[in-house]
Amino acid sequence: MPLPMAPRPVGGWLVDARLSLLDRQVLDADGGPVGVVDDLELSDLPEPTANRPVYVLNLVHGPIVLERIVGGRRPRAHFERVPWSAVAHVGSAIELSVGEERVPVGWLEDWLARNVIGRIPGSRHVPR
């Protein structure tokens, strides 16, 4: 007999961010890979000592690991954010309720597609 599900808090899901969100694969509505959750943007608490829940505003993905290894900090505009409202299911992967056309593409991925991959002969058409 399966264990009973924990009651859902009013207004959202109760998740352990470290176990359930960070380093998880993000899939769009069609099951295609979008990226990996590297960081989270959380709501601010009204008071630092308040014992209130913190809400996830955005899943952040992009080349953040390089910063942690090398150091430094890139502009906040270079991070790709997926709003929490687009999350449909949290499991072994995080499934979104939107298609890939509504998910932001990172500047590095866009630059590589145009300047590196796009220059490879035959890369601009679908193979037969």
Side-chain angles (χ1 to χ4, degrees), residues 10-127:
V10 176
W13 300 334
L14 181 62
V15 296
D16 183 337
R18 186 175 288 163
L19 289 174
S20 302
L21 298 176
L22 293 176
D23 293 328
R24 294 290 174 128
Q25 179 76 38
V26 180
L27 305 174
D28 64 10
D30 301 322
V34 171
V36 175
V37 178
D38 293 312
D39 208 350
L40 302 170
E41 284 186 344
L42 305 173
S43 63
D44 293 328
L45 290 174
E47 304 170 12
T49 59
N51 189 14
R52 295 185 175 163
V54 177
Y55 296 98
V56 176
L57 300 176
N58 295 309
L59 304 176
V60 181
H61 65 97
I64 296 173
V65 175
L66 186 61
E67 287 180 7
R68 293 180 183 162
I69 294 171
V70 177
R73 183 168 293 278
R74 72 182 65 236
R76 292 180 60 92
H78 287 188
F79 298 135
E80 294 81 44
R81 292 170 176 81
V82 176
W84 182 254
S85 59
V87 175
H89 179 72
V90 175
S92 60
I94 297 174
E95 300 170 13
L96 302 178
S97 60
V98 296
E100 75 175 279
E101 67 278 351
R102 302 237 359 245
V103 178
V105 175
W107 67 272
L108 180 61
E109 186 176 339
D110 185 45
W111 183 87
L112 286 171
R114 283 185 286 114
N115 296 305
V116 178
I117 306 298
R119 294 177 184 243
I120 298 172
S123 67
R124 296 183 189 256
H125 64 82
V126 179

